[in-house]
Amino acid sequence: EIMAIRLKRMVAFIIDWYISFLPGFILFMFSMNQGVENENASPLIMIPCFIGIFGSFTLFVLRDYIFKGQSLGKKIFGLTILDKDTLSTPKNRQLILKNIFLFIYPIDGVILLATGESLGNRITDTVVVYKAQRNDTDV
């Protein structure tokens, strides 16, 4: 069961990655296409490119915060994030801070596979569990 949750977390991460970055990528490609077709639009294409890239990274970092401890990928696999001490939904700062470390995701992935706990979870004292294990008193 431990390996199953690790695998589900990694697949959920990949799903979240694509959900977060696909809209930004589409906006980026559309903007670049407009710039290639119209050489006078070069400075203007930077604005939607920046919005797309910045928006994608922001959505990725905030994904657990937006959905109260369950990104869309985690929702698909029935996973949720809990505070280790209270076994309730973590504070907003924990949900945001835990995802900042995902920008070193290759290292974080190795740590997750080796220990079952990501660097972000270690630093923020959170844990990812099956939603059925969640404390029922937390609403």
Side-chain angles (χ1 to χ4, degrees):
E1 183 178 331
I2 292 171
M3 200 56 171
I5 198 167
R6 289 179 193 177
L7 182 61
K8 287 181 180 186
R9 285 182 67 185
M10 295 192 84
V11 175
F13 173 87
I14 292 167
I15 290 169
D16 292 338
W17 180 268
Y18 281 104
I19 289 171
S20 297
F21 287 98
L22 187 60
F25 179 74
I26 291 169
L27 184 59
F28 177 81
M29 293 307 290
F30 175 76
S31 299
M32 293 304 290
N33 186 43
Q34 294 302 312
V36 168
E37 290 178 4
N38 181 3
E39 64 256 357
N40 296 332
S42 296
L44 296 176
I45 66 167
M46 295 308 294
I47 295 170
C49 287
F50 176 76
I51 290 170
I53 292 168
F54 181 75
S56 293
F57 278 106
T58 302
L59 181 60
F60 191 70
V61 169
L62 297 178
R63 71 190 193 281
D64 291 320
Y65 166 76
I66 292 168
F67 298 106
K68 308 287 188 222
Q70 262 193 313
S71 65
L72 293 177
K74 287 182 187 75
K75 236 183 224 313
I76 290 168
F77 289 103
L79 303 172
T80 191
I81 303 169
L82 299 178
D83 183 289
K84 278 185 185 175
D85 298 327
T86 65
L87 295 180
S88 61
T89 301
K91 294 179 176 91
N92 292 338
R93 66 174 173 77
Q94 287 173 290
L95 292 172
I96 295 169
L97 182 61
K98 101 178 250 336
N99 287 328
I100 289 175
F101 296 97
L102 294 175
F103 292 108
I104 55 169
Y105 69 90
I107 296 167
D108 204 33
V110 171
I111 292 170
L112 173 64
L113 284 175
T115 67
E117 194 175 34
S118 70
L119 185 59
N121 286 120
R122 285 175 176 242
I123 290 172
T124 59
D125 288 326
T126 56
V127 64
V128 178
V129 297
Y130 286 110
K131 190 163 169 101
Q133 293 174 299
R134 183 180 183 151
N135 186 351
D136 291 332
T137 61
D138 180 45
V139 178

